[in-house]
Amino acid sequence: MQIENKMAKWNYWTERSYYHKELRDRAKGIKSEMEAAKQISQLIFEKAKSYNSILDAGCGTGHFILSLEKKLKDGFQYLGIDITEQHIIDAIDIFKENTNYQFQLGDIRSLVVEDKSYEVSICSNTIPHIPHIGKAINELIRVTKGDIFIRMLISDEVLITKKALSDVFDENGEPESFMYVNIYDENYLKNIIGNKGELFIYEDIFDAKAIMSHYEDHKSAAGKNIATRIVEGSQFKGHLMLPWKIVHIKLT
Ligand SMILES: C[S@@+](CC[C@H](N)C(=O)[O-])C[C@H]1O[C@@H](n2cnc3c(N)ncnc32)[C@H](O)[C@@H]1O
């Protein structure tokens, strides 16, 4: 399979072995559930029409499964897709006992998935960090029958931000390697969705104490400007404030 931009400058995850371990530990239940995983699982339970089949795009190691299992008691088919090969290798190994859970190496912007084949799609913490999100959201709309839940950054202005990972720049003056931390506005989403669905935006629930205790570990592994911290009640990555929201697209 051809993975476009696998080694692109924005693709932060490929070489981050500390992050691979972090997500492996979460999927094995060694590290605690993410607040976002709990909140999205609860929202699926409360708001989705049905949830027998779930697509998780940008799934990492599939660690959302643990939270979904707690909330959705009846079981579900799950397909996790991720562009980082190491995550998919780890996920296949960790969840090999349960044949309802499948994993695929792939790019959210060109999914190898049939139209309308999943009742629910999730995409958590991925959209802010990739280019061409219109393609990604259109793909989620194409493959989903019912409800889409996306954790992303929403505010009243659009900010396309490159967090440089070093101070080396290429011939165009762009950072040699960087992480996107992009914020979009509601209007942008409405234009993508058009008449294909209804848009709801929910506040992100987070545990400030848990974030700050994780920050201490995370900053030594990833750097202080990558790790999330709390400043005056808001989430920050370095100098950038993170207006996390859960976007719910209810398809019509
Ligand atoms: C910050 S992690 C989020 C993982 C998990 N969804 C969570 O919320 O903890 C972002 C994930 O998106 C994946 N990713 C980045 N770009 C992608 C793309 N274009 N298609 C599919 N996965 C992508 C990365 O490999 C990484 O596993």
Side-chain angles (χ1 to χ4, degrees):
M1 178 192 304
Q2 197 196 352
I3 304 288
E4 187 206 346
N5 280 335
K6 187 178 171 198
M7 297 300 289
K9 289 177 178 187
W10 56 266
N11 195 346
Y12 173 77
W13 298 275
T14 318
E15 307 297 337
R16 294 290 180 284
S17 55
Y18 80 87
Y19 193 63
H20 298 166
K21 179 173 177 341
E22 159 108 12
L23 288 197
R24 264 198 304 274
D25 287 351
R26 284 202 196 277
K28 288 178 183 169
I30 298 171
K31 278 212 155 176
S32 55
E33 279 174 274
M34 278 177 55
E35 292 300 310
K38 287 194 236 172
Q39 188 183 358
I40 290 176
S41 301
Q42 181 67 29
L43 284 169
I44 293 172
F45 179 67
E46 283 174 13
K47 313 246 180 221
K49 201 166 152 211
S50 51
Y51 40 77
N52 296 314
S53 55
I54 299 176
L55 175 82
D56 185 357
C59 65
T61 51
H63 61 95
F64 269 48
I65 288 174
L66 274 58
S67 306
L68 291 165
E69 280 177 340
K70 285 189 187 161
K71 291 287 173 203
L72 316 178
K73 303 272 184 316
D74 296 337
F76 49 89
Q77 301 283 325
Y78 170 101
L79 175 66
I81 296 185
D82 202 282
I83 205 169
T84 303
E85 195 165 15
Q86 188 60 54
H87 288 331
I88 294 300
I89 291 169
D90 291 337
I92 290 171
D93 181 49
I94 294 166
F95 294 102
K96 58 181 178 287
E97 307 295 332
N98 193 329
T99 53
N100 287 335
Y101 306 154
Q102 301 290 317
F103 297 92
Q104 197 188 91
L105 185 63
D107 188 331
I108 181 177
R109 296 163 303 169
S110 55
L111 293 169
V112 186
V113 174
E114 306 258 304
D115 291 2
K116 297 204 177 299
S117 49
Y118 285 84
E119 288 172 352
V120 169
S121 288
I122 301 170
C123 183
S124 166
N125 301 343
T126 301
I127 291 291
H129 307 308
I130 69 173
H132 309 300
I133 73 150
K135 281 189 189 170
I137 295 173
N138 275 315
E139 278 293 82
L140 293 176
I141 291 172
R142 178 182 69 76
V143 302
T144 311
K145 284 184 243 190
D147 297 86
I148 301 171
F149 296 89
I150 305 172
R151 186 170 190 260
M152 61 186 286
L153 302 167
I154 302 282
S155 186
D156 58 0
E157 62 175 343
V158 175
L159 290 178
I160 302 300
T161 307
K162 290 177 178 174
K163 195 170 257 298
L165 301 174
S166 80
D167 53 7
V168 179
F169 296 88
D170 68 15
E171 65 282 2
N172 299 316
E174 296 294 321
E176 268 298 321
S177 76
F178 62 85
M179 178 191 214
Y180 276 122
V181 188
N182 295 336
I183 302 175
Y184 295 89
D185 67 3
E186 197 173 325
N187 196 46
Y188 177 76
L189 288 177
K190 281 189 174 152
N191 284 338
I192 294 177
I193 298 166
N195 60 5
K196 287 171 259 167
E198 208 180 339
L199 174 67
F200 302 89
I201 298 180
Y202 310 122
E203 284 306 316
D204 182 56
I205 296 173
F206 63 91
D207 177 341
K209 260 196 192 153
I211 289 177
M212 283 315 288
S213 68
H214 186 236
Y215 173 67
E216 293 305 324
D217 287 348
H218 197 186
K219 84 173 173 193
S220 54
K224 70 178 174 51
N225 292 325
I226 298 293
T228 298
R229 72 198 158 111
I230 305 295
V231 181
E232 294 182 359
S234 296
Q235 299 181 67
F236 273 76
K237 220 182 237 315
H239 290 274
L240 192 67
M241 194 166 103
L242 306 174
W244 285 111
K245 298 281 184 294
I246 311 286
V247 165
H248 174 194
I249 305 170
K250 191 166 250 322
L251 294 169
T252 42

